[in-house]
Amino acid sequence: MAALKSPTLRYLLGSRGPCLRASQRRWARVHDVRFVATHQDSRRVIEKYREKLDRKAKEEGLKDLDELKSLYRDKIQNVKQKAGVVTKSSPTATRPPSNLPFPPPPPPPRLGSGQTSDISAGPSHTSTSTNPPGIRTLSSFIDVPKTLRLPREEIEYIWRLRHASSPQSLCATIPYSTYQHIESTARRHPQFILPLPREGQGAEIHFLQWTFPSPTTTTVLFTHLAEFKLRGEFSQPHTTVTHHLDLAGPKGLVLLQGSVTGGRGVTVDEGKWLLMCLQKFYGIGEEKIGRRKLLEQFSQGDGAFKVEELLEEAEKIV
Protein backbone atom coordinates (compact mmCIF):
# COMPACT_ATOMS: atom_id res chain seq x y z
CA MET A 1 0.00 0.00 0.00
CA ALA A 2 1.24 3.47 -0.79
CA ALA A 3 2.01 5.67 2.20
CA LEU A 4 0.09 8.85 3.00
CA LYS A 5 1.77 11.97 1.65
CA SER A 6 -0.31 14.88 2.86
CA PRO A 7 -1.62 15.42 6.40
CA THR A 8 -3.86 18.29 5.35
CA LEU A 9 -7.07 16.47 4.46
CA ARG A 10 -9.42 15.90 7.41
CA TYR A 11 -12.23 13.37 7.40
CA LEU A 12 -15.39 13.76 9.37
CA LEU A 13 -16.33 10.47 11.01
CA GLY A 14 -19.14 9.17 13.11
CA SER A 15 -22.82 8.50 12.56
CA ARG A 16 -25.59 6.50 14.12
CA GLY A 17 -27.86 3.79 12.85
CA PRO A 18 -26.29 3.53 9.38
CA CYS A 19 -28.46 0.83 7.75
CA LEU A 20 -29.79 1.30 4.26
CA ARG A 21 -33.51 0.87 3.76
CA ALA A 22 -35.50 0.56 0.56
CA SER A 23 -37.74 3.36 1.81
CA GLN A 24 -34.69 5.69 1.71
CA ARG A 25 -34.99 6.49 5.42
CA ARG A 26 -31.86 8.23 6.67
CA TRP A 27 -30.34 6.33 9.58
CA ALA A 28 -26.90 7.92 9.50
CA ARG A 29 -26.32 10.96 11.69
CA VAL A 30 -22.81 12.41 11.49
CA HIS A 31 -21.23 13.91 14.58
CA ASP A 32 -18.56 16.60 14.45
CA VAL A 33 -15.59 14.40 15.26
CA ARG A 34 -12.57 15.10 13.09
CA PHE A 35 -9.18 13.53 12.76
CA VAL A 36 -6.16 14.22 10.63
CA ALA A 37 -4.88 11.55 8.28
CA THR A 38 -1.26 11.36 9.35
CA HIS A 39 1.70 9.77 7.66
CA GLN A 40 3.73 7.19 9.49
CA ASP A 41 7.15 8.35 8.39
CA SER A 42 9.87 5.75 7.98
CA ARG A 43 11.93 7.68 10.51
CA ARG A 44 9.49 6.65 13.24
CA VAL A 45 10.14 3.01 12.37
CA ILE A 46 13.91 3.58 12.43
CA GLU A 47 13.73 5.27 15.83
CA LYS A 48 11.61 2.45 17.20
CA TYR A 49 14.16 -0.20 16.19
CA ARG A 50 17.34 1.91 16.35
CA GLU A 51 18.94 -0.19 19.07
CA LYS A 52 18.50 -3.40 17.11
CA LEU A 53 19.66 -1.74 13.90
CA ASP A 54 22.77 -0.35 15.58
CA ARG A 55 23.55 -3.81 16.97
CA LYS A 56 23.11 -5.31 13.50
CA ALA A 57 25.48 -2.71 12.03
CA LYS A 58 28.17 -3.61 14.57
CA GLU A 59 27.73 -7.31 13.83
CA GLU A 60 28.30 -6.57 10.15
CA GLY A 61 31.43 -4.58 10.98
CA LEU A 62 29.90 -1.30 9.84
CA LYS A 63 30.38 2.16 11.35
CA ASP A 64 26.79 3.32 11.56
CA LEU A 65 23.18 2.89 10.43
CA ASP A 66 23.76 4.73 7.15
CA GLU A 67 26.29 2.13 6.05
CA LEU A 68 23.86 -0.64 7.04
CA LYS A 69 21.08 0.94 4.95
CA SER A 70 23.48 1.30 2.03
CA LEU A 71 24.53 -2.34 2.30
CA TYR A 72 20.96 -3.63 2.25
CA ARG A 73 19.48 -1.03 -0.11
CA ASP A 74 19.13 -3.40 -3.07
CA LYS A 75 17.60 -6.14 -0.93
CA ILE A 76 15.08 -3.74 0.64
CA GLN A 77 14.12 -2.36 -2.76
CA ASN A 78 13.64 -5.87 -4.16
CA VAL A 79 11.39 -6.90 -1.24
CA LYS A 80 9.26 -3.78 -1.64
CA GLN A 81 8.88 -4.35 -5.37
CA LYS A 82 7.76 -7.94 -4.81
CA ALA A 83 5.24 -6.69 -2.26
CA GLY A 84 3.85 -4.24 -4.79
CA VAL A 85 5.05 -1.15 -2.88
CA VAL A 86 6.05 1.91 -4.86
CA THR A 87 8.82 3.84 -3.14
CA LYS A 88 10.23 7.28 -3.75
CA SER A 89 13.35 5.78 -5.30
CA SER A 90 11.45 3.41 -7.57
CA PRO A 91 12.00 4.31 -11.24
CA THR A 92 8.32 3.60 -11.98
CA ALA A 93 7.04 5.87 -9.25
CA THR A 94 5.90 9.29 -10.34
CA ARG A 95 5.81 12.11 -7.83
CA PRO A 96 2.19 13.03 -7.12
CA PRO A 97 0.98 16.62 -7.00
CA SER A 98 1.38 18.06 -3.51
CA ASN A 99 -2.35 18.69 -3.15
CA LEU A 100 -3.34 15.02 -3.41
CA PRO A 101 -4.34 13.36 -0.12
CA PHE A 102 -2.85 10.06 -1.30
CA PRO A 103 -0.30 9.20 -4.00
CA PRO A 104 -1.57 7.41 -7.11
CA PRO A 105 -1.09 3.63 -7.41
CA PRO A 106 1.67 2.14 -9.56
CA PRO A 107 1.13 2.79 -13.27
CA PRO A 108 0.43 -0.20 -15.52
CA PRO A 109 3.33 -1.79 -17.39
CA ARG A 110 4.40 0.01 -20.52
CA LEU A 111 2.99 -1.47 -23.67
CA GLY A 112 5.36 -2.81 -26.26
CA SER A 113 5.47 -1.63 -29.84
CA GLY A 114 3.22 -4.49 -30.92
CA GLN A 115 0.51 -3.70 -28.38
CA THR A 116 -2.21 -1.10 -28.43
CA SER A 117 -3.37 1.12 -25.60
CA ASP A 118 -6.84 1.57 -27.09
CA ILE A 119 -9.20 0.40 -24.35
CA SER A 120 -12.10 0.05 -26.75
CA ALA A 121 -10.37 -2.74 -28.63
CA GLY A 122 -10.38 -4.98 -25.56
CA PRO A 123 -7.33 -6.89 -24.32
CA SER A 124 -6.46 -10.24 -25.81
CA HIS A 125 -6.53 -13.36 -23.62
CA THR A 126 -3.02 -14.19 -24.81
CA SER A 127 -1.64 -11.23 -22.84
CA THR A 128 -2.14 -13.00 -19.50
CA SER A 129 1.43 -14.26 -19.73
CA THR A 130 2.63 -10.70 -19.03
CA ASN A 131 1.17 -10.70 -15.51
CA PRO A 132 3.85 -10.11 -12.87
CA PRO A 133 4.63 -12.83 -10.30
CA GLY A 134 2.06 -13.18 -7.53
CA ILE A 135 -0.87 -12.03 -9.66
CA ARG A 136 -3.45 -14.77 -10.22
CA THR A 137 -4.44 -14.92 -13.85
CA LEU A 138 -7.80 -15.97 -15.18
CA SER A 139 -6.25 -19.24 -16.34
CA SER A 140 -5.66 -20.17 -12.69
CA PHE A 141 -9.46 -20.32 -12.28
CA ILE A 142 -10.75 -21.61 -15.62
CA ASP A 143 -9.53 -23.03 -18.92
CA VAL A 144 -9.54 -19.83 -20.98
CA PRO A 145 -9.26 -21.35 -24.50
CA LYS A 146 -12.18 -23.72 -23.83
CA THR A 147 -14.20 -20.98 -22.17
CA LEU A 148 -13.83 -18.78 -25.24
CA ARG A 149 -15.80 -21.37 -27.22
CA LEU A 150 -18.80 -21.12 -24.89
CA PRO A 151 -21.72 -18.70 -25.19
CA ARG A 152 -21.72 -15.75 -22.86
CA GLU A 153 -24.58 -17.04 -20.68
CA GLU A 154 -22.74 -20.28 -19.96
CA ILE A 155 -19.56 -18.39 -19.09
CA GLU A 156 -21.44 -16.32 -16.51
CA TYR A 157 -22.99 -19.47 -15.01
CA ILE A 158 -19.65 -21.32 -14.85
CA TRP A 159 -17.92 -18.34 -13.25
CA ARG A 160 -20.46 -18.11 -10.45
CA LEU A 161 -20.43 -21.86 -9.97
CA ARG A 162 -16.64 -21.81 -9.78
CA HIS A 163 -16.78 -19.63 -6.64
CA ALA A 164 -19.99 -20.94 -5.06
CA SER A 165 -18.17 -23.31 -2.70
CA SER A 166 -15.93 -20.63 -1.18
CA PRO A 167 -17.67 -18.82 1.70
CA GLN A 168 -15.20 -15.90 1.68
CA SER A 169 -15.27 -15.28 -2.06
CA LEU A 170 -16.81 -12.49 -4.10
CA CYS A 171 -17.63 -12.90 -7.77
CA ALA A 172 -19.55 -11.14 -10.50
CA THR A 173 -19.64 -10.61 -14.24
CA ILE A 174 -19.60 -7.11 -15.73
CA PRO A 175 -20.40 -6.04 -19.31
CA TYR A 176 -17.24 -4.67 -20.85
CA SER A 177 -18.94 -1.42 -21.80
CA THR A 178 -19.78 -0.85 -18.13
CA TYR A 179 -16.28 -1.78 -17.02
CA GLN A 180 -14.73 0.69 -19.47
CA HIS A 181 -16.48 3.54 -17.69
CA ILE A 182 -15.44 2.19 -14.28
CA GLU A 183 -11.79 1.87 -15.31
CA SER A 184 -11.74 5.31 -16.89
CA THR A 185 -12.97 6.80 -13.60
CA ALA A 186 -10.53 4.67 -11.58
CA ARG A 187 -7.53 5.93 -13.53
CA ARG A 188 -8.54 9.51 -12.79
CA HIS A 189 -9.35 8.77 -9.14
CA PRO A 190 -7.24 5.75 -8.06
CA GLN A 191 -7.92 6.31 -4.34
CA PHE A 192 -11.09 7.04 -2.44
CA ILE A 193 -12.86 6.33 0.84
CA LEU A 194 -16.17 4.55 1.36
CA PRO A 195 -18.41 4.34 4.43
CA LEU A 196 -19.45 1.01 5.90
CA PRO A 197 -22.64 1.54 7.95
CA ARG A 198 -22.83 -0.22 11.30
CA GLU A 199 -26.20 0.21 13.00
CA GLY A 200 -25.88 1.78 16.41
CA GLN A 201 -22.14 2.36 15.98
CA GLY A 202 -21.93 4.91 13.20
CA ALA A 203 -20.23 4.63 9.84
CA GLU A 204 -16.81 3.01 9.61
CA ILE A 205 -14.62 4.52 6.89
CA HIS A 206 -12.58 2.33 4.54
CA PHE A 207 -9.81 3.32 2.15
CA LEU A 208 -9.71 1.83 -1.36
CA GLN A 209 -6.89 1.83 -3.89
CA TRP A 210 -6.88 0.73 -7.53
CA THR A 211 -3.82 -0.91 -9.05
CA PHE A 212 -3.22 -1.98 -12.66
CA PRO A 213 -0.58 -4.73 -12.53
CA SER A 214 -1.09 -5.96 -16.10
CA PRO A 215 -3.09 -5.19 -19.26
CA THR A 216 -5.62 -7.91 -18.37
CA THR A 217 -5.77 -7.51 -14.59
CA THR A 218 -7.11 -4.69 -12.42
CA THR A 219 -7.14 -4.95 -8.65
CA VAL A 220 -8.89 -3.00 -5.88
CA LEU A 221 -7.62 -3.17 -2.29
CA PHE A 222 -9.88 -2.26 0.64
CA THR A 223 -8.32 -1.36 4.01
CA HIS A 224 -9.65 0.05 7.27
CA LEU A 225 -8.80 3.75 7.07
CA ALA A 226 -7.83 3.75 10.75
CA GLU A 227 -5.27 1.00 10.06
CA PHE A 228 -4.01 2.74 6.94
CA LYS A 229 -3.45 5.91 8.95
CA LEU A 230 -1.58 3.96 11.61
CA ARG A 231 0.53 1.61 9.49
CA GLY A 232 0.72 3.33 6.11
CA GLU A 233 2.34 1.11 3.49
CA PHE A 234 2.48 -1.78 5.96
CA SER A 235 -1.30 -1.98 6.37
CA GLN A 236 -3.00 -5.14 5.15
CA PRO A 237 -6.18 -5.08 3.02
CA HIS A 238 -9.17 -6.95 4.38
CA THR A 239 -10.80 -7.32 0.95
CA THR A 240 -9.17 -7.75 -2.45
CA VAL A 241 -11.10 -7.62 -5.72
CA THR A 242 -9.63 -8.45 -9.15
CA HIS A 243 -11.13 -7.75 -12.57
CA HIS A 244 -10.05 -10.15 -15.32
CA LEU A 245 -10.21 -8.66 -18.83
CA ASP A 246 -9.16 -11.75 -20.78
CA LEU A 247 -12.63 -12.22 -22.29
CA ALA A 248 -13.40 -8.53 -22.74
CA GLY A 249 -12.55 -8.39 -26.43
CA PRO A 250 -14.02 -11.66 -27.77
CA LYS A 251 -16.97 -11.92 -25.36
CA GLY A 252 -17.57 -8.37 -24.13
CA LEU A 253 -17.39 -9.66 -20.57
CA VAL A 254 -15.22 -8.86 -17.55
CA LEU A 255 -15.00 -11.46 -14.78
CA LEU A 256 -14.70 -10.18 -11.21
CA GLN A 257 -13.24 -12.29 -8.44
CA GLY A 258 -12.34 -11.35 -4.88
CA SER A 259 -12.04 -12.51 -1.32
CA VAL A 260 -12.67 -11.19 2.18
CA THR A 261 -10.00 -12.11 4.71
CA GLY A 262 -11.46 -13.67 7.83
CA GLY A 263 -10.73 -12.15 11.21
CA ARG A 264 -10.11 -8.66 9.83
CA GLY A 265 -13.34 -7.10 11.11
CA VAL A 266 -15.29 -7.27 7.85
CA THR A 267 -17.83 -9.93 6.89
CA VAL A 268 -18.49 -11.19 3.37
CA ASP A 269 -21.80 -9.31 3.28
CA GLU A 270 -19.99 -6.13 4.29
CA GLY A 271 -17.42 -6.80 1.58
CA LYS A 272 -20.29 -7.06 -0.91
CA TRP A 273 -21.65 -3.75 0.35
CA LEU A 274 -18.27 -2.05 -0.22
CA LEU A 275 -18.08 -3.55 -3.70
CA MET A 276 -21.60 -2.35 -4.51
CA CYS A 277 -20.71 1.09 -3.16
CA LEU A 278 -17.56 1.18 -5.28
CA GLN A 279 -19.56 0.43 -8.43
CA LYS A 280 -22.04 3.12 -7.38
CA PHE A 281 -19.33 5.79 -7.30
CA TYR A 282 -17.06 4.60 -10.11
CA GLY A 283 -19.82 3.54 -12.48
CA ILE A 284 -21.45 6.94 -12.28
CA GLY A 285 -23.12 8.58 -15.22
CA GLU A 286 -23.07 12.23 -16.07
CA GLU A 287 -26.30 12.73 -14.12
CA LYS A 288 -24.69 11.73 -10.78
CA ILE A 289 -23.13 15.12 -10.15
CA GLY A 290 -22.83 14.67 -6.38
CA ARG A 291 -20.75 11.48 -6.59
CA ARG A 292 -18.51 12.85 -9.30
CA LYS A 293 -17.92 15.98 -7.20
CA LEU A 294 -16.89 13.88 -4.17
CA LEU A 295 -14.39 11.89 -6.25
CA GLU A 296 -12.86 15.05 -7.65
CA GLN A 297 -12.70 16.77 -4.27
CA PHE A 298 -11.00 13.78 -2.66
CA SER A 299 -8.42 13.42 -5.45
CA GLN A 300 -7.62 17.14 -5.33
CA GLY A 301 -7.38 17.26 -1.54
CA ASP A 302 -10.19 19.79 -1.48
CA GLY A 303 -11.08 20.86 2.06
CA ALA A 304 -14.72 21.10 0.98
CA PHE A 305 -14.94 17.29 0.91
CA LYS A 306 -17.53 16.24 3.49
CA VAL A 307 -18.14 12.75 4.85
CA GLU A 308 -21.78 13.74 5.50
CA GLU A 309 -22.25 14.06 1.73
CA LEU A 310 -20.40 10.78 1.19
CA LEU A 311 -22.83 9.01 3.53
CA GLU A 312 -25.79 10.64 1.84
CA GLU A 313 -24.71 9.47 -1.61
CA ALA A 314 -23.74 6.00 -0.40
CA GLU A 315 -27.12 5.25 1.14
CA LYS A 316 -29.02 6.06 -2.05
CA ILE A 317 -30.38 2.96 -3.76
CA VAL A 318 -29.30 4.11 -7.24
Side-chain angles (χ1 to χ4, degrees), residues 1 170 192-196 205-210 219-225 227-228 235-243 256 258-261 264 266 270-279 282:
M1 298 286 291
L170 304 171
F192 196 52
I193 58 174
L194 293 175
L196 179 60
I205 305 300
H206 295 255
F207 174 69
L208 71 87
Q209 178 175 3
W210 290 82
T219 300
V220 189
L221 306 175
F222 293 90
T223 309
H224 292 280
L225 181 59
E227 179 181 354
F228 189 77
S235 58
Q236 295 295 320
H238 57 71
T239 301
T240 304
V241 175
T242 301
H243 300 81
L256 180 150
S259 62
V260 178
T261 303
R264 299 302 307 280
V266 175
E270 290 170 340
K272 291 177 180 178
W273 155 257
L274 288 172
L275 182 58
M276 179 191 70
C277 202
L278 175 143
Q279 294 173 344
Y282 281 84

Side-chain angles (χ1 to χ4, degrees), residues 166-270:
S166 177
Q168 298 297 118
S169 71
L170 304 171
C171 80
T173 58
I174 307 172
Y176 185 46
S177 57
T178 301
Y179 172 81
Q180 285 179 293
H181 187 84
I182 293 175
E183 181 179 322
S184 176
T185 305
R187 289 185 181 275
R188 295 195 305 272
H189 310 290
Q191 289 108 3
F192 196 52
I193 58 174
L194 293 175
L196 179 60
R198 295 186 183 278
E199 190 168 7
Q201 301 179 19
E204 190 176 75
I205 305 300
H206 295 255
F207 174 69
L208 71 87
Q209 178 175 3
W210 290 82
T211 63
F212 306 89
S214 83
T216 57
T217 308
T218 301
T219 300
V220 189
L221 306 175
F222 293 90
T223 309
H224 292 280
L225 181 59
E227 179 181 354
F228 189 77
K229 286 175 52 192
L230 179 66
R231 303 185 64 195
E233 64 185 42
F234 301 103
S235 58
Q236 295 295 320
H238 57 71
T239 301
T240 304
V241 175
T242 301
H243 300 81
H244 298 280
L245 282 70
D246 306 67
L247 308 183
K251 295 295 181 180
L253 197 64
V254 174
L255 303 183
L256 180 150
Q257 161 269 327
S259 62
V260 178
T261 303
R264 299 302 307 280
V266 175
T267 67
V268 175
D269 285 340
E270 290 170 340

Side-chain angles (χ1 to χ4, degrees), residues 296-307:
E296 292 172 353
Q297 287 177 337
F298 186 85
S299 295
Q300 296 167 6
D302 192 336
F305 179 91
K306 291 182 173 59
V307 173

